[in-house]
Amino acid sequence: MHLDQKVSLKALHTFGMEVEARYFVEAKTQSEVLTLLNYRQMIHMPILFLGGGSNVLFTRDFSGIVIKISAKGISAVETDDGHVLVSVEAGENWDEFVQYCVNRGWSGLENLSLIPGTVGAAPIQNIGAYGVEVKEIIESVLVVDINTAKQRRLTNAECSFGYRDSVFKNTLKGKVIILNVTFKLLNPNLPTYQLTNLPPYQLHYPDLQHELASMSIAAPAIADIREAVCRIRRRKLPDTFVAGNAGSFFKNPVIMKEQLDSLKATFPDLPHFPNQGKGTIKIPAAWLIDQCGWKGYRNGDAGVHPNQPLVLVNYGNATGRQILDLANQIMESVKQKFGILLEMEVNVF
Ligand code: EPU
């Protein structure tokens, strides 16, 4: 392992800001992660564990040590109930892993195609898209305690998953590192699959249905679903190689029925999605931001994406501060107009 000084983080996070880490080291295996943790007590400075860097905004240079986790490896075992348990090292690229499963006909992750980032980051914010959240497919998560270097495997229930939320953003925040994730996928090729009575694919999200229809596909195979999701994402979301971004910058707000009813009196077109648990309702933040007139806004190199206003964009040389200022202005205008406080999904440093 190499400890480097004054390392540019521009290519190591998807917003692409020109910021520096005071120290930088890459852990390429699980045992390298554990070795670094054994030196933990000697490192008297802030530590940031970085995966694919697809959910961070740097507003300044990082004055501590950045540890990039890039351990790789995938292993799978078939179960006798139509499933396959796939164990994946945290540093695997998320979308390459999804492709790996789709190639083998293992279903469960195809709706989560083309999401940037690493496998180890997926459980932290319970990534979700096109009607599927990763919590539905996670069997367990292997973590190591940052202070004691002790390993522990968390069951799905112990991860306390919620909408873009988990134990890793709450009680375990800053306390553990995710080393490995085990997924439970369906394997429709196994003879025992018929016994599960489970549908192989999740096709209820309207955008996905429209895309498959526009591809003239009535009975999609797993590769068709991945292709449809990739087409929607490529059309709606900016390519991080062309314009820096971190996907959805805000969470979709979840409100109570009473608040919805009073908002609907003034905004009858307000879209909403019920059944978020405990009688709550999800409102698309993209709609709220759009209604406040931000869609396609640009000030210098900081902007709001013209096709998906939930995504803030660095068109070249925007600073993290400029993006954060823009985020605050958006939050203020949504609060003024709708009385709803948006919550950031991205981690700001
Ligand atoms: N909308 C507008 N104007 C627009 C675009 C969208 O008003 O220009 C409204 C429409 O009412 C639309 C609604 O927003 O029906 C929802 O839009 P979309 O289906 O694009 O999804 P989203 O709620 O904005 C969420 C996730 C995305 C995920 C998509 C697809 C969050 C915060 N975002 O976005 O996840 O890809 O659904 O399932 O939950 C991410 O988290 O980084 C991310 C990209």
Side-chain angles (χ1 to χ4, degrees):
M1 269 183 293
H2 265 285
L3 182 69
D4 293 311
Q5 283 191 57
K6 290 183 152 288
V7 172
S8 167
L9 297 174
K10 188 175 166 73
L12 295 172
H13 74 294
T14 59
F15 249 125
M17 268 82 193
E18 191 52 88
V19 282
E20 246 178 35
R22 185 165 162 207
Y23 294 102
F24 176 84
V25 61
E26 184 173 5
K28 295 198 180 97
T29 60
Q30 248 189 48
S31 70
E32 287 188 351
V33 176
L34 299 175
T35 306
L36 281 168
L37 289 184
N38 288 328
Y39 288 104
R40 169 79 181 90
Q41 306 308 337
M42 290 155 61
I43 305 175
H44 299 292
M45 63 175 94
I47 304 182
L48 170 63
F49 294 95
L50 197 63
S54 60
N55 210 33
V56 286
L57 176 70
F58 289 105
T59 55
R60 63 182 84 159
D61 289 339
F62 190 76
S63 61
I65 178 165
V66 172
I67 299 178
K68 182 172 162 65
I69 313 265
S70 50
K72 301 268 183 352
I74 302 178
S75 62
V77 283
E78 286 175 1
T79 67
D80 51 13
D81 66 351
H83 289 88
V84 54
L85 288 174
V86 193
S87 232
V88 192
E89 294 298 291
E92 286 284 351
N93 172 279
W94 175 261
D95 191 54
E96 286 170 18
F97 168 56
V98 173
Q99 178 77 69
Y100 179 98
C101 297
V102 167
N103 289 347
R104 283 158 183 77
W106 301 338
S107 72
L109 298 174
E110 54 284 354
N111 296 36
L112 304 180
S113 289
L114 221 59
I115 295 180
T118 55
V119 166
I124 299 176
Q125 58 156 344
N126 179 23
I127 58 170
Y130 308 102
V132 171
E133 287 185 332
V134 77
K135 70 169 185 186
E136 294 154 38
I137 310 109
I138 287 179
E139 171 80 1
S140 63
V141 178
L142 179 68
V143 299
V144 56
D145 187 295
I146 290 176
N147 289 310
T148 63
K150 281 217 174 80
Q151 293 184 41
R152 177 179 162 208
R153 187 169 284 283
L154 301 180
T155 61
N156 180 301
E158 286 171 324
C159 295
S160 305
F161 290 119
Y163 166 60
R164 292 297 191 277
D165 200 24
S166 72
V167 71
F168 309 110
K169 287 177 89 174
N170 295 291
T171 48
L172 291 185
K173 187 172 179 172
K175 297 199 175 119
V176 298
I177 303 169
I178 294 175
L179 294 175
N180 176 292
V181 185
T182 300
F183 300 88
K184 189 172 184 178
L185 300 173
L186 270 175
N187 186 353
N189 307 317
L190 288 176
T192 45
Y193 163 71
Q194 306 303 335
L195 303 173
T196 66
N197 271 329
L198 292 168
Y201 311 125
Q202 299 297 327
L203 300 173
H204 57 276
Y205 201 86
D207 271 8
L208 182 55
Q209 290 176 357
H210 295 150
E211 196 66 28
L212 287 163
S214 78
M215 291 160 69
S216 307
I217 293 171
I222 190 166
D224 300 322
I225 300 168
R226 174 169 165 82
E227 176 58 20
V229 169
C230 290
R231 283 184 189 211
I232 308 171
R233 291 190 78 93
R234 287 199 185 101
R235 200 166 53 234
K236 280 197 174 177
L237 298 165
D239 183 340
T240 52
F241 289 107
V242 179
N245 72 90
S248 298
F249 197 91
F250 303 101
K251 284 167 123 179
N252 284 325
V254 174
I255 63 172
M256 302 303 289
K257 169 106 177 43
E258 297 71 36
Q259 191 178 1
L260 176 73
D261 290 343
S262 87
L263 279 166
K264 284 222 98 168
T266 322
F267 307 101
D269 299 335
L270 177 70
H272 56 281
F273 305 95
N275 299 325
Q276 304 303 318
K278 299 188 191 119
T280 56
I281 291 138
K282 199 186 279 180
I283 305 289
W287 190 88
L288 302 173
I289 299 169
D290 198 350
Q291 294 296 306
C292 291
W294 289 104
K295 191 165 162 167
Y297 171 89
R298 183 168 171 172
N299 181 5
D301 277 348
V304 179
H305 194 257
N307 299 341
Q308 173 43 293
L310 203 46
V311 178
L312 303 191
V313 181
N314 168 16
Y315 285 105
N317 294 312
T319 63
R321 266 268 138 224
Q322 287 167 330
I323 297 285
L324 192 59
D325 286 348
L326 175 57
N328 283 324
Q329 288 176 53
I330 292 171
M331 288 166 78
E332 187 53 35
S333 67
V334 168
K335 195 167 132 230
Q336 291 292 331
K337 190 169 173 121
F338 299 100
I340 292 179
L341 188 61
L342 291 180
E343 196 186 323
M344 294 187 202
E345 196 194 81
V346 169
N347 297 304
V348 179
F349 291 97

